[in-house]
């Protein structure tokens, strides 16, 4: 449906379920080309020399996680993981916010997109986005699954997003923190995003919805990448920013199911999305050719990427943000799995970038250890990646590798992962892409060549015939030898010039794991508690590491 809705009846149809009426013009379900054209006419962005639409998001170049709220409603309140991630908003406050946004939208020229989230029909939701910007409509069209034309004729949304990036919220009357609000009502099936141009709020709000809906259907929603090998073997890649999730899942020898959001059911794995939202700061053509090519073509949206007057991109320029992004349809990737589905996973990879320099580069996890590390969601942050970080690395724990998007308690998702690991017998691995020979600032980053060799050996089954040792600090099973990987890489302690300093750092990280896991210890099975790193390993003197 490549049209502009002018007639009264077509306007009403395109806004059904949104609570909007009396709107003078709606651009409904436009395809990429007219959306780009309108974005340029409206001065929403400019074109790169390759035809990508380059836009700016102003002051907000990332998610405003402190401004995310869930409406406290009787139907859902008891099941929500309330706290700093899911802040409570009263029904009255949400009503005032919604009324203000609706009043604002009714005076604007609007763009709507009707889209799916979820490649499997029985587990998908129908989403209707209403926004004031052509480029945000294109973002959503790239990011979600685009229905066939015949499916749009009687499209009825399950969830509606009212997107008003230029609307200023009254925080006092609405009961929110600032002039920005990202508010979600599960009872009303309504999302309101106001005061921020950052498009990732659209994507992650729907991911939050999928994280709410699917556990009740026995499906595990996951913040992970997924791909398929030549033998039809599916692999999952969990990991926080900077761990190599996109890089390692983008393998020319394997089909990419998706780079970020998936579900795991009894039938297998399926993508929630129809596009990719890749970080492109310092993107190199030789290292990431598919992402590079997708970012240099018409139809792609580039957020906060530097561009000169001739349309030349500078992907190394972080003057606006280090969180520069490229949003493109999945079919821009040459080896994408077109139906967005795969068999049950044979391997589950959990990625971390340990800046303390003490975790082994690869370890095979027992199912209990996998649940422990899934609930921990560990990586480390270092100076240069976030403001305010000093010279010392800082441990970061994000439950299920996606805490900001979990409306339910983490143990709900942990129980589902435990179930599927038991039923479908996937092998789990912890891969560290961080530092060896010392912590950040002293040691060196594990080479991508070594990481790829370790990953290839794990996915290819070579490690099934390898001897393993038990790491004395973390209780992890580490291969004794892998072709192409030096022994001092496999055993990080051997790469440190001072063994006492290594022991001190290892014990420090163990204590940080233990401190974090105290949040879950009384909510998980005994086997998972026993897999905790502080209990699963003894130090070299035989006493528990503390």
């Amino acid at each position: 449906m490549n049209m502009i809705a002018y007639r009264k009846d077509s306007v009403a149809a395109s806004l059904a379920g949104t609570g909007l009426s009396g709107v003078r013009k709606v651009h409904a379900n436009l395809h990429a080309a007219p959306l780009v054209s309108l974005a340029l006419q409206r001065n929403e962005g400019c074109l790169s020399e390759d035809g990508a639409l380059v836009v700016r998001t102003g002051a907000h170049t990332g998610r405003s996680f402190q401004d995310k709220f869930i409406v406290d409603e009787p139907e859902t309140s008891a099941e929500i993981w309330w706290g700093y991630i899911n802040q409570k908003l009263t029904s009255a406050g949400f009503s005032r916010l919604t009324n203000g946004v609706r009043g604002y939208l009714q005076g604007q020229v609007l763009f709507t997109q009707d889209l799916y989230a979820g490649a499997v029909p029985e587990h998908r939701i129908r989403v209707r986005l209403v926004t004031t910007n052509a480029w945000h409509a294109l973002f959503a069209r790239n990011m979600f699954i685009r229905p066939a034309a015949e499916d749009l004729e009687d499209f009825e949304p399950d969830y509606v997003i009212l997107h008003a990036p230029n609307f200023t919220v009254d925080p006092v009357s609405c009961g929110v923190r600032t002039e920005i609000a990202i508010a979600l009502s599960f009872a009303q099936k309504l999302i309101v995003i106001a005061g921020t141009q950052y498009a990732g709020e659209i994507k992650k709000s729907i991911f939050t919805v999928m994280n709410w809906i699917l556990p009740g259907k026995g499906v595990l929603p996951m913040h992970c990448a997924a791909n398929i090998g030549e033998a039809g073997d599916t692999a999952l890649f969990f990991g926080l920013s900077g761990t190599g999730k996109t890089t390692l899942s983008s393998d020319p020898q394997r089909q990419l199911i998706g780079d970020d959001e998936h579900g795991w059911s009894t039938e297998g794995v399926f993508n929630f999305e129809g596009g990719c939202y890749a970080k492109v700061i310092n993107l190199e053509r030789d290292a990431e050719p598919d992402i590079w090519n997708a970012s240099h073509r018409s139809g792609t949206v580039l957020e906060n990427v530097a561009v000169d007057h001739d349309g030349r991109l500078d992907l190394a320029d972080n003057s606006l943000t280090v969180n520069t992004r490229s949003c493109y349809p999945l079919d821009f990737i040459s080896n994408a799995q077109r139906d967005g589905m795969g068999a049950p996973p044979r391997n589950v990879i959990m990625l971390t970038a340990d800046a303390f320099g003490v975790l082994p580069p690869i370890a095979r996890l027992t199912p209990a250890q996998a649940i422990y590390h899934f609930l921990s969601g560990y990586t480390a942050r270092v100076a240069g990646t976030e403001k305010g970080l000093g010279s010392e690395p800082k441990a970061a724990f994000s439950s299920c590798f996606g805490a900001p998007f979990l409306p339910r308690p983490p143990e709900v998702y942990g129980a589902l992962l435990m179930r599927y690991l038991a039923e479908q017998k996937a092998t789990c691995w912890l891969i560290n892409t961080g530092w060896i020979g010392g912590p950040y600032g002293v040691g060196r980053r594990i080479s991508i060549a070594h990481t790829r060799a370790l990953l290839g050996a794990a996915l290819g089954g070579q490690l099934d015939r390898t001897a393993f040792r038990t790491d004395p600090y973390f209780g992890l099973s580490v291969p004794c030898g892998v072709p192409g990987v030096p022994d001092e890489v496999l055993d990080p302690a051997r790469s440190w010039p001072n063994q006492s300093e290594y022991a001190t750092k290892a014990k420090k990280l163990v204590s940080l794991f233990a401190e974090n896991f105290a949040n879950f210890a009384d909510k998980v099975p005994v086997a998972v508690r026993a897999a905790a790193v502080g209990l699963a390993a003894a130090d070299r003197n035989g006493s528990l590491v503390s």
Side-chain angles (χ1 to χ4, degrees):
M1 185 185 295
N2 188 8
M3 57 167 283
I4 298 178
Y6 290 106
R7 301 193 320 274
K8 183 177 180 180
D9 58 340
S10 59
V11 169
S14 65
L15 295 176
T18 67
L20 295 169
S21 61
V23 177
R24 57 192 177 92
K25 184 184 292 186
V26 179
H27 299 279
N29 289 313
L30 295 184
H31 290 201
L35 285 172
V36 171
S37 178
L38 283 167
L40 295 174
Q41 291 176 33
R42 292 158 53 91
N43 295 315
E44 294 177 9
C46 65
L47 288 184
S48 73
E49 60 182 351
D50 304 294
L53 180 63
V54 185
V55 298
R56 301 282 183 266
T57 63
H60 305 288
T61 58
R63 289 181 298 102
S64 298
F65 69 93
Q66 292 181 297
D67 296 304
K68 175 188 172 185
F69 296 86
I70 293 179
V71 184
D72 186 10
E73 296 159 312
E75 304 95 321
T76 60
S77 184
E79 298 178 65
I80 293 174
W81 184 34
W82 295 114
Y84 75 96
I85 287 173
N86 299 306
Q87 301 175 85
K88 288 185 180 182
L89 181 62
T90 66
S91 294
F94 183 68
S95 179
R96 286 189 286 271
L97 172 65
T98 303
N99 289 339
V101 168
R102 283 189 175 127
Y104 169 80
L105 291 176
Q106 287 178 175
Q108 308 296 315
V109 174
L110 300 179
F111 297 82
T112 65
Q113 287 286 316
D114 295 334
L115 303 157
Y116 295 143
V120 176
E122 57 264 39
H123 299 313
R124 73 170 39 140
I125 61 170
R126 295 163 296 186
V127 178
R128 173 162 289 162
L129 170 74
V130 181
T131 183
T132 55
N133 287 338
W135 84 260
H136 283 108
L138 178 58
F139 171 92
R141 186 173 183 83
N142 285 352
M143 201 68 257
F144 298 109
I145 297 170
R146 296 158 291 282
E150 57 269 21
D151 294 334
L152 291 172
E153 295 176 3
D154 56 356
F155 189 95
E156 295 182 3
D158 298 308
Y159 273 79
V160 167
I161 304 173
L162 299 179
H163 185 249
N166 293 321
F167 178 75
T168 301
V169 177
D170 179 354
V172 175
S173 68
C174 296
V176 297
R177 191 180 72 97
T178 68
E179 296 178 341
I180 301 167
I182 301 96
L184 197 163
S185 166
F186 290 123
Q188 299 179 49
K189 298 184 176 181
L190 177 63
I191 299 163
V192 176
I193 301 172
T196 173
Q197 296 274 349
Y198 181 65
E201 302 288 10
I202 298 171
K203 164 188 162 72
K204 292 305 186 184
S205 291
I206 292 301
F207 186 40
T208 301
V209 170
M210 297 297 274
N211 277 312
W212 171 254
I213 293 173
L214 292 183
K217 303 172 72 174
V219 177
L220 172 62
M222 303 174 293
H223 189 216
C224 72
N227 65 23
I228 306 173
E230 294 179 354
D233 57 300
T234 301
L236 304 180
F237 298 80
F238 291 94
L240 301 174
S241 179
T243 61
K245 180 178 66 170
T246 299
T247 298
L248 294 174
S249 63
S250 300
D251 184 337
Q253 304 304 314
R254 299 175 67 87
Q255 296 291 109
L256 181 67
I257 301 175
D259 75 334
D260 198 46
E261 301 174 7
H262 295 83
W264 186 352
S265 71
T266 54
E267 290 76 29
V269 172
F270 62 97
N271 198 352
F272 292 169
E273 301 179 309
C276 298
Y277 191 40
K279 265 189 173 181
V280 291
I281 192 69
N282 296 320
L283 180 71
E284 297 180 358
R285 187 173 198 167
D286 292 340
E288 303 284 356
D290 279 331
I291 298 174
W292 174 280
N293 291 332
S295 302
H296 289 76
R297 60 181 290 183
S298 179
T300 291
V301 177
L302 298 177
E303 270 188 333
N304 300 313
V305 173
V307 60
D308 68 16
H309 293 295
D310 296 318
R312 288 188 294 266
L313 302 176
D314 183 354
L315 298 179
D317 188 328
N318 64 2
S319 58
L320 294 173
T321 178
V322 296
N323 190 36
T324 57
R325 294 278 181 167
S326 175
C327 174
Y328 47 85
L330 194 60
D331 57 21
F332 280 16
I333 299 295
S334 60
N335 64 330
Q337 180 74 6
R338 300 304 178 193
D339 64 3
M341 292 183 273
R346 189 177 301 173
N347 289 279
V348 174
I349 313 297
M350 296 183 186
L351 298 166
T352 184
D354 173 36
F356 293 91
V358 293
L359 279 177
I362 190 168
R364 186 173 58 198
L365 303 176
T366 67
Q369 286 176 320
I371 303 306
Y372 174 85
H373 285 280
F374 179 67
L375 291 174
S376 297
Y378 166 70
T379 193
R381 309 208 185 280
V382 297
T385 62
E386 290 185 6
K387 293 181 180 178
L389 288 176
S391 58
E392 285 289 314
K394 181 179 180 181
F397 296 93
S398 184
S399 302
C400 311
F401 297 95
F405 322 117
L406 304 182
R408 299 180 183 274
E411 56 269 20
V412 171
Y413 309 95
L416 281 167
L417 178 60
M418 180 175 288
R419 168 191 163 186
Y420 281 117
L421 290 179
E423 291 179 357
Q424 301 184 2
K425 311 299 182 186
T427 302
C428 297
W429 306 90
L430 182 69
I431 290 183
N432 173 26
T433 61
W435 278 256
I436 57 172
Y440 169 80
V442 176
R444 66 186 187 280
R445 193 83 187 253
I446 297 170
S447 78
I448 187 64
H450 291 154
T451 299
R452 288 192 186 280
L454 293 167
L455 177 62
L459 298 183
Q462 290 93 327
L463 297 187
D464 295 344
R465 302 178 294 277
T466 299
F468 283 73
R469 66 176 180 87
T470 300
D471 180 273
Y473 293 96
F474 300 96
L476 298 169
S477 295
V478 181
C480 296
V482 176
V485 181
D487 290 344
E488 64 269 20
V489 173
L490 282 173
D491 184 358
R494 295 175 59 179
S495 68
W496 280 58
N498 186 310
Q499 295 298 296
S500 176
E501 290 180 1
Y502 173 84
T504 298
K505 285 292 185 185
K507 291 179 182 181
K508 173 64 175 176
L509 183 56
V510 167
S511 70
L512 293 173
F513 265 99
E515 180 182 343
N516 174 73
F517 200 72
N519 297 312
F520 311 107
D522 62 345
K523 304 180 182 72
V524 298
V526 172
V528 178
R529 292 201 295 272
V533 294
L535 298 176
D539 69 15
R540 296 184 193 276
N541 297 318
S543 61
L544 285 178
V545 175
S546 60

